[in-house]
Amino acid sequence: MSAGLLLAPTAQPHAHRADTFPSGADKRRHPRIPLKNTTVHVTDGCLFATARIGNISPAGLCLCDLPEQLYHSANRLTVYSSDNPGLPVLQIRPCWQHTGWGGKTIGAVILNATDAWRLFFVHAAGQVEA
């Protein structure tokens, strides 16, 4: 066994690597439903921003067009909508992020997936299929 293998650095959590993007849909446990023109407000408890929801799943969501300053080390973000009463207030934990020219995109797990969230998801899935 070589010494290099013993001293290999441990991998950092995805949430702290600015260039990390999901490696592929084949590793996802739930199907993703794309959303169009759905904006939400996001806060880390200090900063506030408006983001676009890229897609949703029963247990998570992808937020797009966030400013780089939001969520550098926040373990929890709050997501809410003032335009869509069917979208409940969500507490999310970022799992990965990608920063590009258009801003930051993050994938997050929903910490409080309530019945209201499940209804929103089913309704959104029905709109895509129709």
Side-chain angles (χ1 to χ4, degrees):
M1 196 179 270
S2 75
L5 290 176
L6 293 174
L7 301 175
T10 58
Q12 293 180 346
H14 293 300
H16 299 291
R17 296 189 320 208
D19 60 345
T20 303
F21 210 62
S23 59
D26 55 359
K27 293 184 180 181
R28 293 177 172 169
R29 288 183 282 189
H30 301 286
R32 299 309 192 259
I33 304 298
L35 294 184
K36 295 184 181 188
N37 304 320
T38 304
T39 58
V40 291
H41 304 296
V42 183
T43 183
D44 60 6
C46 185
L47 298 175
F48 167 89
T50 300
R52 179 178 53 84
I53 297 179
N55 62 59
I56 59 173
S57 77
L61 68 148
C62 176
L63 296 174
C64 306
D65 307 327
L66 286 162
E68 167 61 26
Q69 297 82 2
L70 187 71
Y71 156 66
H72 272 285
S73 59
N75 289 326
R76 183 178 290 214
L77 299 173
T78 301
V79 176
Y80 62 97
S81 173
S82 57
D83 300 331
N84 189 339
L87 181 63
V89 175
L90 300 173
Q91 299 296 318
I92 63 171
R93 183 180 68 237
C95 297
W96 59 264
Q97 69 175 337
H98 173 76
T99 302
W101 289 106
K104 185 187 303 191
T105 299
I106 66 169
V109 63
I110 299 170
L111 300 173
N112 65 332
T114 62
D115 287 341
W117 170 252
R118 287 184 271 285
L119 286 172
F120 179 82
F121 178 80
V122 168
H123 178 72
Q127 295 295 323
V128 171
E129 293 174 2

